[in-house]
């Protein structure tokens, strides 16, 4: 009986919205009815489902919280140090559907959203709440979904979760089927990206990106973590564009076209507005000036941190450490992460200390922490490293105990996970 009542209440709002001038349009209001939660028309088996609660929220993001380069001691470029903070959106994890208690962030993930994880044979149910002023979604790579849980907006017939309007929520259901997990000759777990996908992939530039980890059940502990691994890290190599020339975070006033319960037409209108270039500047921007703006706005980051400001890459001597490596972005986003002091095995087949990444590449590299010390992890593309695409990782020696040893919380996304 709840739905007819909602429709009755929503119809006058919709009619007013599509017939009234822009200045008179109502502000987005919260919609708590969740049209998702099914997988090809059925509720997934609760015994095999891990439920996550994730909100997209505006944040002020600081690319350099320390205010300086703490690793290489390089002077910060003036255009960067004068503009450390930017408005971004982030996927933030909560403990339950009330969206009141946040799950503590893992500092090493930086701007990345929560790690969502499971084992082949399980389902992920992700209740998404849009606390921004623009339509957003969660689109997963690598898992199986029906049209409603695809989380991508395009024609024809976008699914119910294609564009979650401001204030609304939607529960995506993703199956971790056999094809989501590693092949027998791949490492025991693998990672996939998820990101918002309403207007275009530029929404990752807003900060809306995270990782899904899937473990092979034949090589998993009872809690679903890979049995042959002691510790995990996830790092995204991506150049964020803070020039204002691309997709930007919308404020409430400019997002008035996005109305909960709205038609596809109005959503498209809102989306077009989201994609529109910023307001015309007072003077004409030349091609050269535009190129300069873009160059000054580039933040060549690992997990949204630059110049050695990504914390928490710490491990203990002897540990088997799995790195999930990603890149995203545009034609400049070819990255070559390189570890000093150690060697890795890429994808279970190749020994190296440099891994090649292109936009939306997802790779696994396994590292044996056999060389204690404080070491550099950096992109080996010269320009990227010069502009801050590096971090420090630490291997604590075996004989160190107590506070100097890395904390025991070793696996990504384990806190706040609910199996029900
Ligand atoms: Cu790079």
């Amino acid at each position: 009986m709840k739905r007819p009542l909602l429709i009755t209440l929503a119809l006058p709002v919709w009619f007013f919205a599509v017939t009234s001038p822009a200045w008179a349009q109502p502000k987005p209001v919260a919609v708590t009815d969740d049209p998702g939660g099914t997988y090809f028309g059925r509720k997934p088996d609760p015994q095999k489902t891990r439920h996550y609660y994730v909100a997209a929220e505006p944040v002020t993001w600081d690319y350099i919280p320390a205010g300086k380069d703490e690793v290489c001691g390089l002077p910060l470029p003036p255009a960067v140090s004068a503009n450390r903070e930017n408005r971004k959106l982030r996927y933030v994890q909560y403990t339950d559907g009330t969206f009141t208690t946040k799950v503590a962030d893992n500092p090493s993930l930086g701007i990345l959203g929560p790690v969502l994880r499971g084992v082949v044979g399980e389902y992920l149910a992700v209740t998404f709440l849009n606390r921004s002023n623009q339509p957003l979604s969660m689109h997963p790579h690598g898992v199986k979904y029906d049209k409603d849980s695809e989380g991508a907006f395009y024609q024809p017939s976008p699914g119910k979760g294609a564009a979650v309007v401001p204030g609304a929520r939607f529960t995506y259901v993703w199956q971790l089927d056999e094809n989501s997990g590693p092949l027998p000759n791949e490492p025991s777990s693998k990672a996939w990206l998820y990101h918002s996908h309403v207007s275009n992939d530029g929404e990752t530039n807003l900060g809306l990106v995270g990782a899904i980890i899937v473990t092979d059940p034949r090589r998993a502990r009872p809690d679903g973590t890979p049995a042959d691994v002691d510790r995990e890290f996830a790092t995204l190599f991506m150049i964020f564009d803070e020039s204002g020339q691309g997709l930007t975070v919308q404020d409430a006033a400019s997002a008035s076209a996005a109305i909960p319960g709205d038609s596809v037409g109005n959503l498209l209108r809102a989306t077009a507005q989201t994609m529109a270039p910023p307001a015309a500047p007072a003077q004409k921007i030349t091609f050269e000036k535009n190129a300069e703006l873009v160059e000054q706005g580039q933040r060549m980051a690992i997990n949204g941190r630059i110049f050695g400001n990504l914390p928490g890459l710490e491990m203990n001597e002897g540990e088997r450490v799995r790195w999930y490596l990603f890149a995203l972005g545009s034609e400049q986003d070819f990255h070559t992460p390189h570890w000093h002091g150690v060697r890795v095995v890429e994808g279970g087949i190749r020994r190296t200390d440099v891994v090649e990444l292109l936009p939306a590449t997802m790779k696994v590299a396994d590292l044996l922490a056999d060389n204690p010390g404080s070491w550099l992890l950096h992109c080996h593309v010269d320009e990227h490293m010069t502009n801050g695409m590096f971090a420090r990782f630490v291997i604590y020696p075996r004989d160190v105990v107590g506070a100097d040893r890395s904390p025991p919380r070793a696996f990504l996304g384990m806190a706040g996970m609910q199996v029900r």
Side-chain angles (χ1 to χ4, degrees):
M1 294 308 291
K2 198 173 165 190
R3 190 174 295 272
L5 176 66
L6 270 177
I7 291 171
T8 310
L9 291 173
L11 268 177
V13 175
W14 174 84
F15 182 78
F16 182 70
V18 297
T19 56
S20 55
W23 58 264
Q25 287 189 351
K27 290 263 167 45
V29 293
V31 173
T32 53
D33 193 25
D34 184 342
T38 58
Y39 179 77
F40 291 96
R42 291 186 172 187
K43 293 268 182 199
D45 180 353
Q47 299 302 317
K48 294 181 179 174
T49 302
R50 300 179 192 239
H51 207 129
Y52 292 88
Y53 300 88
V54 179
E57 298 182 354
V59 294
T60 300
W61 183 253
D62 189 343
Y63 285 92
I64 318 171
K68 59 180 180 179
D69 175 354
E70 292 194 300
V71 176
C72 295
L74 302 170
L76 297 177
V80 173
S81 58
N83 299 287
R84 279 167 39 190
E85 294 186 342
N86 291 91
R87 290 183 66 209
K88 311 299 286 177
L89 298 176
R90 280 193 68 215
Y91 289 122
V92 179
Q93 186 181 7
Y94 284 82
T95 56
D96 57 42
T98 64
F99 287 92
T100 50
T101 307
K102 287 182 184 177
V103 174
D105 277 336
N106 179 330
S108 73
L109 292 175
I111 201 167
L112 294 183
V115 166
L116 315 175
R117 68 181 309 147
V119 175
V120 169
E122 296 179 335
Y123 296 85
L124 304 181
V126 187
T127 298
F128 172 61
L129 172 64
N130 184 356
R131 282 182 166 153
S132 82
N133 289 309
Q134 56 212 87
L136 299 171
S137 71
M138 293 178 75
H139 167 67
H141 287 244
V143 297
K144 190 170 183 183
Y145 42 75
D146 64 17
K147 192 67 185 173
D148 284 342
S149 285
E150 180 189 14
F153 190 88
Y154 59 94
Q155 301 299 339
S157 307
K160 289 177 187 165
V164 179
V165 294
R169 65 176 70 195
F170 183 86
T171 298
Y172 299 96
V173 180
W174 302 326
Q175 188 189 15
L176 309 181
D177 69 353
E178 197 66 32
N179 294 325
S180 309
L183 289 166
N185 62 343
E186 287 185 277
S188 52
S189 60
K190 64 188 300 163
W192 305 95
L193 289 164
Y194 69 87
H195 56 86
S196 186
H197 202 323
V198 175
S199 58
N200 57 36
D201 277 357
E203 283 160 35
T204 56
N205 190 60
L206 302 178
L208 293 168
V209 55
I212 299 165
I213 297 175
V214 185
T215 310
D216 177 352
R218 292 169 287 266
R219 291 177 281 169
R221 296 187 182 90
D223 66 359
T225 57
D228 57 344
V229 172
D230 301 308
R231 187 175 293 275
E232 296 174 318
F233 294 111
T235 44
L236 168 69
F237 293 75
M238 174 175 165
I239 303 173
F240 287 88
D241 174 13
E242 301 296 356
S243 69
Q245 308 300 296
L247 201 63
T248 53
V249 177
Q250 301 294 294
D251 59 31
S254 66
S256 59
I259 299 157
D262 205 354
S263 66
V264 168
N266 270 0
L267 259 179
L268 275 175
R269 190 153 48 81
T271 303
Q273 191 174 26
T274 306
M275 295 174 72
Q283 75 272 23
K284 193 162 174 270
I285 292 184
T286 63
F287 176 78
E288 290 77 13
K289 180 67 180 170
N290 190 58
E292 186 185 324
L293 283 174
V294 169
E295 191 168 329
Q296 288 182 352
Q298 288 181 337
R299 300 290 176 268
M300 302 189 184
I302 305 174
N303 291 358
R305 302 283 194 205
I306 55 179
F307 291 101
N309 275 239
L310 181 66
L313 301 179
E314 300 175 6
M315 64 206 82
N316 302 312
E317 183 182 4
E319 287 181 342
R320 300 160 298 175
V321 181
R322 178 156 293 166
W323 294 70
Y324 304 102
L325 301 162
F326 309 101
L328 273 173
S330 194
E331 66 268 48
Q332 291 172 293
D333 285 279
F334 55 96
H335 302 294
T336 50
H338 167 50
W339 294 259
H340 284 221
V342 295
R343 286 65 49 88
V344 301
V345 176
E346 178 190 334
I349 57 168
R350 188 171 79 98
R351 200 182 296 285
T352 181
D353 61 7
V354 177
V355 172
E356 303 87 0
L357 300 174
L358 292 170
T361 297
M362 301 164 268
K363 287 187 174 177
V364 171
D366 287 317
L367 174 162
L368 177 63
D370 63 353
N371 197 1
S374 188
W375 302 108
L376 189 63
L377 166 68
H378 68 93
C379 177
H380 222 297
V381 178
D382 284 352
E383 192 194 0
H384 298 176
M385 187 186 180
T386 306
N387 286 282
M389 196 173 256
F390 56 82
R392 173 169 48 203
F393 69 97
V394 178
I395 302 175
Y396 293 106
R398 205 182 289 276
D399 53 0
V400 170
V401 292
D404 286 337
R405 200 149 165 93
S406 191
R409 187 175 155 193
F411 290 91
L412 299 171
M414 291 303 289
M417 185 179 70
Q418 291 187 16
V419 182
R420 62 172 209 189

